[in-house]
Amino acid sequence: MFMPETGKIIRSTQAQPAKVLLVDDEPLNIDLLEQELSAQDLEILAASNGREALDLVASSPPDMIFLDLMMPVMDGFGVLAALQENEAWREIPVVIVSASNDLENMVRGIEMGATDFLPKPFEPAVLQARLNAGLEKKRLRDLQQRYLQSLERELDIGREIQMGFLPTDIPQPEGWQIFAHFQAAREVAGDFYDVFEIGSGKVGLLLGDVTDKGVGSAMYMALYRTILRSSMLSDTFSEDLNAEDCATPEICLLQAVRLANRYIYRFHESPMLATLFFAVLNTHTGDLCYINAGHDPPYVMRAGEILTLIKRTGPIVGAIENAEYKVETLQLDPGDLLVMYSDGIPDAQNGAGERFSNRRFQDLLQGSSTTPAGTFSEILSALEEHTAGGDQFDDVTLLLVHRE
């Protein structure tokens, strides 16, 4: 039987039946509902006011609630408000049990989150219909939540795998400083970067951005990064040059980009293209050979001023089978700073939809600290301040190389 003083469970059937909470300050109403539900495979909880009901929800969340509105201590509206404020309780189906002529309160209750109503005096067939509809909604919601949780777990795994493609330790050659920052806009990203040693005195510098976002971009990010890095470090570079022909970093660089471009174009019907800046730095001389394949132009800073913008030397990768890419070279002198970045920096938006912009980025670079570490920190701080209150629009990658 129901014991309103304690709000205790008054009926329990098998191990894991559906759990239904009855909330009413009239024991007779509870008894009537309980009798009509007694033939069902249910675990029935009961409470005589809203406070008892919320205590039961907290200790033993039900699958469904039949809720009276007019009660002492806390009425049904207070219960509905509390349920909506708690993310874990928000999706519990609530059926208002109220007099059939109390339309105003029923409408208010539904506006506050109730899913249906049961007029008093209730018909057993209507009660059964409300019960079936509520439990089915809860079952489908639980299935959806389990599915979403499995997707989140898969995305977590994908993020872990993707992070494994990014360098965990950035090489710091003698006389040089290299700083890197990566922040995905979603669980997985299309941006990628790499810093790796190529023999003695040479370092590969790679920053790329796959078109679009999400899982597809992340898969292509891994593909691009693998092809480019392995090409630079393997003995075979493409179908039209032998291993002995790859005698210089310039040739190796050109062959790596050509190979990635041809592979993506030939073997993928709907490829995701990528912009990239790929360079080889001679840490002894400061010589930098590079290809800019459709990427936002990196900056070379000298004495706090922008010395040059590294313009594009070829098209976006994967779009044209026999695209022409040109290797260019430049010299990084002592004190120079090379700034590589993805478009997630100038395109970053604040809550009002205003872009960070290339102009602001350039002004920030030219007015930044005299130390590369300070410049790196000031860029990230300014970006964080700008985007406060807004959603991250795109992946953000920043790579700074400083010759001491």
Side-chain angles (χ1 to χ4, degrees):
M1 291 295 294
F2 167 62
M3 298 179 64
E5 298 81 11
T6 61
K8 65 177 291 187
I9 299 173
I10 58 175
R11 182 178 181 85
S12 178
T13 56
Q14 59 186 17
Q16 290 184 336
K19 193 178 300 183
V20 177
L21 172 59
L22 310 179
V23 189
D24 200 310
D25 62 326
E26 290 292 338
L28 179 60
N29 292 334
I30 293 286
D31 286 342
L32 289 173
L33 286 169
E34 196 273 336
Q35 289 173 16
E36 292 296 336
L37 299 174
S38 61
Q40 307 297 319
D41 184 20
L42 302 172
E43 178 181 334
I44 299 178
L45 318 177
S48 61
N49 61 64
R51 177 51 55 198
E52 288 181 3
L54 292 178
D55 289 342
L56 281 172
V57 171
S59 62
S60 183
D63 297 297
M64 187 173 179
I65 300 174
F66 286 90
L67 178 66
D68 186 29
L69 292 178
M70 302 296 112
M71 296 179 293
V73 184
M74 177 185 287
D75 62 17
F77 299 117
V79 174
L80 288 170
L83 293 175
Q84 289 300 308
E85 291 174 358
N86 190 309
E87 187 175 354
W89 302 345
R90 196 173 297 153
E91 300 301 330
I92 300 174
V94 179
V95 174
I96 295 171
V97 182
S98 184
S100 58
N101 61 354
D102 193 9
L103 180 61
E104 181 179 349
N105 281 331
M106 284 191 292
V107 171
R108 180 186 172 194
I110 290 175
E111 289 176 344
M112 292 183 67
T115 55
D116 212 333
F117 68 93
L118 181 68
K120 295 179 182 179
F122 60 84
E123 291 289 336
V126 176
L127 170 63
Q128 187 64 48
R130 300 293 192 268
L131 175 70
N132 292 341
L135 292 180
E136 179 65 11
K137 179 179 179 179
K138 182 63 166 54
R139 185 186 70 83
L140 293 175
R141 171 62 65 175
D142 289 345
L143 286 174
Q144 181 185 46
Q145 290 300 317
R146 285 195 291 271
Y147 176 68
L148 291 176
Q149 289 171 2
S150 69
L151 286 181
E152 289 176 0
R153 177 55 186 156
E154 293 298 320
L155 287 173
D156 287 340
I157 294 172
R159 180 168 56 248
E160 292 171 5
I161 293 173
Q162 183 179 40
M163 293 305 294
F165 281 96
L166 302 177
T168 54
D169 296 313
I170 303 296
Q172 300 293 333
E174 185 177 355
W176 296 83
Q177 292 176 295
I178 302 177
F179 304 86
H181 172 79
F182 171 82
Q183 183 175 340
R186 300 182 182 177
E187 290 80 359
V188 288
D191 276 14
F192 61 99
Y193 74 95
D194 204 355
V195 181
F196 56 97
E197 295 179 338
I198 308 172
S200 176
K202 294 183 178 63
V203 173
L205 303 169
L206 171 62
L207 196 153
D209 184 359
V210 178
T211 56
D212 208 351
K213 304 175 184 66
V215 175
S217 295
M219 295 176 66
Y220 270 88
M221 160 266 173
L223 180 59
Y224 276 109
R225 185 266 189 185
T226 300
I227 293 174
L228 292 166
R229 177 190 256 252
S230 61
S231 297
M232 292 298 293
L233 299 177
S234 68
D235 293 328
T236 303
F237 298 93
S238 80
E239 61 194 35
D240 58 353
L241 280 182
N242 297 322
E244 57 269 20
D245 292 325
C246 186
T248 66
E250 290 85 354
I251 293 176
C252 294
L253 194 62
L254 184 60
Q255 290 306 112
V257 174
R258 282 179 176 176
L259 177 60
N261 179 72
R262 288 173 181 168
Y263 181 83
I264 297 298
Y265 182 89
R266 291 181 183 180
F267 298 106
H268 296 266
E269 292 184 1
S270 300
M272 288 189 175
L273 313 180
T275 68
L276 60 90
F277 179 79
F278 199 10
V280 176
L281 172 66
N282 187 319
T283 59
H284 298 316
T285 65
D287 291 332
L288 185 83
C289 62
Y290 64 87
I291 290 176
N292 184 344
H295 200 73
D296 285 35
Y299 302 107
V300 176
M301 306 290 299
R302 180 171 294 172
E305 298 292 333
I306 296 176
L307 177 66
T308 185
L309 275 69
I310 304 179
K311 298 182 179 180
R312 297 171 182 176
T313 64
I316 190 169
V317 179
I320 305 169
E321 180 175 10
N322 295 311
E324 289 294 327
Y325 296 96
K326 185 179 180 181
V327 179
E328 298 282 4
T329 61
L330 59 83
Q331 173 74 30
L332 294 178
D333 291 338
D336 285 355
L337 180 67
L338 173 64
V339 181
M340 296 163 280
Y341 60 97
S342 67
D343 60 3
I345 291 181
D347 288 345
Q349 296 183 3
N350 60 17
E354 298 169 333
R355 296 174 64 249
F356 192 74
S357 79
N358 285 299
R359 171 53 59 189
R360 182 174 177 184
F361 187 35
Q362 293 173 8
D363 291 343
L364 178 62
L365 288 172
Q366 296 187 119
S368 63
S369 171
T370 56
T371 68
T375 298
F376 185 74
S377 178
E378 289 169 19
I379 293 171
L380 298 182
S381 295
L383 195 64
E384 182 179 2
E385 181 181 354
H386 176 77
T387 56
D391 294 330
Q392 185 176 340
F393 178 74
D394 200 357
D395 306 324
V396 171
T397 308
L398 178 65
L399 195 61
L400 267 58
V401 179
H402 174 246
R403 187 175 186 183
E404 297 176 342

